[in-house]
Amino acid sequence: MQKTSAYQSLVKTFQRLSRFSHLSSIASWDMFTMMPPGGSAARGEALAEMSVLQHQILTDKKVGDLLAAAAGEDLNDVEQANLREMTRYYQQATLLPESLVEAKSLVGSRCEHAWRTQRPANDWQGFSANLKEVVKLSREEARLRAEAKGCTPYDALLDIFEPDMTSARLDVLFGDMKSWLPDLLANVVEKQAQRSFVPPQGPFPTATQRELGLEAMKMLGFDFNGGRLDVSAHPFCGGVPEDVRITTRYDEDELLSALFGVIHETGHARYEQNLPRAWAGQPIALARSTAIHESQSLFFEMQLGRSEAFLKHLLPAVHARFGSQAAFSEENFIAWNQRVKPGYIRVDADEVSYPAHVVLRYEIERALINGEIEVDDIPALWDEKMQAWLGLSTKDNYRNGCMQDIHWTDGGFGYFPSYTLGAMYAAQLFHAAKTALPGLQASIAEGDFSALFEWLRQNIWQHGSRFSTSQLITQATGEDLNIRYFREHLTSRYL
């Protein structure tokens, strides 16, 4: 009888962890979409119990011994990459005591559930009381991770979402952007002020908006045999690669927010649905990082979705659902979807002003986790930075200011930079795809995205976490992250 290798034993352990993660993902999706309010406390406790169970399995001393033994075994390239990712997950988990994992899960569930009613009520005082508990535990997590890694507390959390990224590198990238984006934004706003836009006239019934969203998902290749579309307070993509759950939110007075929310989440979903099934259940089969994940959603929503060629292809579907009106002339429909207008809400922001929303949050959450500011300082700082970047005041407008996002409710500190890093990666990837596929724009206008999606599958989707982010992008585009493609894209499209 052949002896099971250390690596094979690890594969079984991580397969088991993956199945528990599957159940947690679907239970979390249900909590955000379908669950009645009375189920919140019990669901929070159940998810916390699952988090503890997964933590116990992952941090068992046997796993550490197996990782050490597997490092000396004869493994191929894929197995070595999987072992690297296994080791990363193990090292991250062993830094946290079980009690902290459980407490964070419980506090996060409580804060998120309360946020759903506190945000519409503009109840900063109620929200901040819960947020202080989340921040307290997140700082403790950051401290433990930072001591082990020899870095700042914030960088320790950033590394969870974006391995190998540091705030020092972010400051260089965002500093570069700060040197040109405000002027570009002002120039675009000034240019667009010289033309008139016809806003779409509602109402737009939710059921019909949903039909249009489903049609857009079908256009973009979403596999409905392995996923579905639902409604939540904040749009997201969840579930697992075999069963991807995406959500949006509807406003019957506004058509395009929900539609492009669906297109954005479809980008996330297509990435999940095309991750390598041959490695399913293993860390190597997971998405590379949150920035790469965001690059796929922004590739769909902004690079492809807001392009002139795609909007022309989409317009007949809009006419079929909502008839003809002045706003839906080809020229106005394209212009309206490429309109730049600084606003309060990040998820509704155009791609020129969007980075301002991200840098603002990054600077606040970094200071918060590093202990330089407290929760009570957030509203004033938010207002100050919104006025500096976008000329808008959020004083006493917590609902559309510092309470608008779901990320901080469960301690997702370190995630926000992923959005603008993702936009930078998306611009670089689309540039590389256009270079590799000379007839791409004509194909998009005809509704043929097959070559584009095959390019993404070959260069990004099929690799999962086999390569580092830097290796993945270099192999796909010929160079590491280069902010110039994002600047060139914005300048070309809007000026």
Side-chain angles (χ1 to χ4, degrees), residues 228-403:
R228 53 181 288 145
L229 171 67
D230 291 282
V231 177
S232 66
H234 192 100
F236 71 91
C237 175
V240 293
E242 299 82 1
D243 182 8
V244 182
R245 308 296 179 90
I246 73 173
T247 70
T248 192
R249 58 188 176 200
Y250 298 101
D251 177 350
E252 295 203 338
D253 295 324
E254 213 287 312
L255 171 63
L256 299 170
S257 176
L259 175 60
F260 278 89
V262 167
I263 292 171
H264 177 98
E265 300 305 336
T266 299
H268 282 305
R270 289 298 314 278
Y271 184 23
E272 286 289 323
Q273 290 180 333
N274 285 276
L275 286 169
R277 295 293 171 88
W279 311 331
Q282 299 303 305
I284 192 178
L286 298 173
R288 171 60 267 168
S289 72
T290 53
I292 293 300
H293 228 311
E294 292 303 333
S295 79
Q296 298 311 287
S297 60
L298 292 168
F299 192 103
F300 273 58
E301 181 194 2
M302 297 299 185
Q303 297 293 325
L304 174 60
R306 305 271 182 181
S307 71
E308 191 170 308
F310 181 83
L311 290 169
K312 286 179 180 177
H313 178 69
L314 180 66
L315 189 53
V318 175
H319 283 152
R321 298 279 185 246
F322 296 103
S324 296
Q325 55 172 274
F328 298 155
S329 71
E330 185 177 281
E331 182 185 4
N332 188 79
F333 187 69
I334 292 168
W336 185 260
N337 277 289
Q338 294 183 352
R339 189 177 56 136
V340 173
K341 185 180 180 183
Y344 293 104
I345 306 300
R346 175 185 61 83
V347 296
D348 293 335
D350 59 83
E351 62 181 331
V352 183
S353 60
Y354 194 106
H357 293 271
V358 170
V359 174
L360 174 158
R361 287 156 173 77
Y362 159 65
E363 291 174 348
I364 290 176
E365 70 176 13
R366 181 184 61 185
L368 188 65
I369 294 300
N370 285 341
E372 296 160 12
I373 63 169
E374 298 300 330
V375 168
D376 290 336
D377 300 320
I378 293 174
L381 273 171
W382 195 285
D383 179 52
E384 176 188 314
K385 291 177 183 292
M386 278 292 284
Q387 292 203 52
W389 269 101
L390 301 176
L392 299 170
S393 174
T394 57
K395 183 173 173 57
D396 298 327
N397 183 4
Y398 312 111
R399 180 168 60 95
N400 293 323
C402 56
M403 286 179 68

Side-chain angles (χ1 to χ4, degrees), residues 63-84:
V63 173
D65 294 340
L66 288 169
L67 287 168
E73 293 177 345
D74 184 20
L75 305 178
N76 63 34
D77 288 350
V78 171
E79 291 167 337
Q80 287 176 6
N82 195 34
L83 182 63
R84 178 198 70 218

